[in-house]
Amino acid sequence: MVTVSVPGKVHLIGEHAVVYREPAILAAIGMRIAVGARKTDSVRVSDREMGPDLEWPVRECKEAAEKAQRLWEEGNKKKDFSGVFSLVKGSNFKKVAIGHVLNKLNIDSGISMGFSGNIPMGSGVGTSAALAVVIAKAVSEVYGKGLDNLQVNELAFDIEKFGHGLPSGGDNSVCCFGGLVWFKKGNPNTIESLKGEVPYNLENFVLVQTGKPVKTTGELVQQVRDLDPSVRESAVKAIGLATQEMRKALKEKDFGKMQALINLAQRNLKQLGVSTPEIDTLAEAVFKIGGAAKLCGAGGGGVVLCYHRDKEKLKNKIRELGFEPMEVELGVEGVRVEE
Ligand code: MEV
């Protein structure tokens, strides 16, 4: 039995804009998905969160993954990924993800995977990316393929495409490599660790779950793509510039500036139509007590990242609004094989 674990993530700043080749700063968070995996004849998946255990013949998983690849390619031509999105819904995501890794690593036998973890599902904090990374790494470990993190990240990016169409690749990269990452989509993507520039721990952040988004990341990214280009472009540009400023602020430990930039990002994400009334209320209340808050990931609900130099004051305000603050560590280790 091999156990592999992977953290979730938050964007300190830069989500959505990163899809349009602006930079983003992402942090791996101290909430993880773990998988215990071993060789079997078929593909077996158990996950207490997702309901009863599932089992598929290896061939069925590999064929489902081939179909996902075909549908993704067709979707990419039409710029409409609804075909592949409906294939990978629910537990089929794991079926296709495992099948894809088996295909890519030329493995014809199965694997049993038991998932557990404490990352809020489908809420902007990287569950799909973490799942993609943990599956790629666990298959590699169980079958002694010895993939390095770059290779694991590439497979995870393929899987993310099945779920989100044309993701930036930022989410899977920070889950895989961990720490605090400067990410820019390109050919190739820029994935830079900010450990040298930001050698201290980012403190006084908490996460707040405002409710599971109704739309998926892929749908929300498409919704932003469908906006009037002038509305989209000005918000994307503003977030991009704020991200450049954020890098400087972090380097200089200028937390006042960092706060202002988080609030600016939230205003622009609202402009992009991916905030919700609950997120707006929370963000305004945190702003009024001198803190900062922004939605995480694709938005449309989900987790909000909140900051205040007085964390107790922040937590009290969040509770007063009827939410529960979740303590979170930022910049943790990426994918790892557990002892
Ligand atoms: C989702 O966590 C982040 C987005 O920027 C999409 C992406 O980067 O692929 C909304």
Side-chain angles (χ1 to χ4, degrees):
M1 167 84 86
V2 173
T3 302
V4 175
S5 84
V6 179
K9 62 83 202 170
V10 290
H11 286 75
L12 207 52
I13 194 160
E15 52 267 269
H16 282 290
V18 70
V19 173
Y20 301 89
R21 296 183 182 245
E22 296 292 345
I25 299 175
L26 302 101
I29 59 172
M31 294 172 172
R32 303 183 81 86
I33 287 181
V35 65
R38 62 185 168 81
K39 284 183 194 171
T40 48
D41 292 338
S42 56
V43 173
R44 296 180 203 166
V45 163
S46 67
D47 185 338
R48 260 172 287 144
E49 300 284 307
M50 296 291 284
D53 296 359
L54 297 164
E55 184 173 2
W56 304 280
V58 173
R59 170 161 294 280
E60 195 178 311
C61 288
K62 294 181 78 170
E63 284 174 1
E66 282 163 16
K67 186 170 177 192
Q69 186 68 50
R70 272 197 311 279
L71 287 173
W72 183 86
E73 276 155 24
E74 282 166 31
N76 194 31
K77 282 192 200 122
K78 298 184 283 185
K79 292 290 169 278
D80 170 7
F81 295 97
S82 47
V84 65
F85 289 169
S86 53
L87 180 70
V88 301
K89 274 219 168 101
S91 56
N92 272 347
F93 180 77
K94 291 194 184 100
K95 177 182 179 180
V96 166
I98 296 168
H100 183 74
V101 180
L102 295 175
N103 279 337
K104 289 287 175 172
L105 300 184
N106 296 314
I107 298 167
D108 283 317
S109 37
I111 189 160
S112 166
M113 289 188 165
F115 293 86
S116 58
N118 61 353
I119 310 177
M121 292 285 291
S123 296
V125 282
T127 30
S128 71
L131 270 177
V133 173
V134 89
I135 287 171
K137 180 74 175 177
V139 175
S140 164
E141 287 297 312
V142 164
Y143 279 95
K145 295 287 179 179
L147 297 190
D148 63 22
N149 282 356
L150 275 174
Q151 293 166 311
V152 166
N153 197 37
E154 259 176 49
L155 285 176
F157 189 32
D158 290 346
I159 297 166
E160 278 282 90
K161 287 182 188 163
F162 299 151
H164 306 316
L166 288 171
S168 63
D171 294 13
N172 49 281
S173 299
V174 73
C175 293
C176 187
F177 297 108
L180 190 66
V181 166
W182 173 265
F183 180 89
K184 198 164 188 293
K185 186 174 167 172
N187 222 345
N189 294 333
T190 305
I191 308 167
E192 212 181 313
S193 165
L194 293 181
K195 204 172 170 191
E197 278 176 41
V198 188
Y200 56 89
N201 288 338
L202 284 170
E203 280 166 359
N204 296 326
F205 283 91
V206 297
L207 301 183
V208 180
Q209 173 62 288
T210 66
K212 209 170 159 192
V214 180
K215 293 189 179 166
T216 64
T217 297
E219 288 164 345
L220 287 155
V221 168
Q222 187 60 44
Q223 181 181 306
V224 170
R225 206 180 288 284
D226 293 341
L227 287 175
D228 182 311
S230 63
V231 174
R232 189 186 60 235
E233 280 160 21
S234 70
V236 161
K237 201 88 247 127
I239 296 173
L241 287 172
T243 303
Q244 312 267 6
E245 290 289 301
M246 179 68 91
R247 185 167 180 168
K248 270 191 249 152
L250 291 173
K251 200 171 167 184
E252 291 162 9
K253 282 187 138 183
D254 185 346
F255 300 127
K257 182 85 186 175
M258 177 190 80
Q259 249 181 256
L261 294 167
I262 291 174
N263 286 325
L264 184 149
Q266 172 58 25
R267 286 197 299 279
N268 282 283
L269 288 163
K270 185 175 172 185
Q271 194 72 22
L272 290 175
V274 292
S275 193
T276 63
E278 291 77 20
I279 295 174
D280 294 343
T281 306
L282 177 60
E284 274 158 35
V286 173
F287 175 71
K288 275 198 189 128
I289 60 159
K294 61 171 269 300
L295 63 84
C296 288
V303 165
V304 172
L305 176 71
C306 300
Y307 170 85
H308 199 293
R309 61 187 180 286
D310 180 346
K311 191 159 74 173
E312 286 313 307
K313 186 171 179 177
L314 175 64
K315 283 163 65 181
N316 288 338
K317 176 51 77 184
I318 291 166
R319 288 201 184 97
E320 207 181 282
L321 293 164
F323 296 111
E324 198 42 49
M326 293 180 273
E327 298 270 347
V328 70
E329 199 186 333
L330 299 188
V332 305
E333 191 184 353
V335 63
R336 68 173 180 236
V337 177
E338 303 288 347
E339 289 307 319

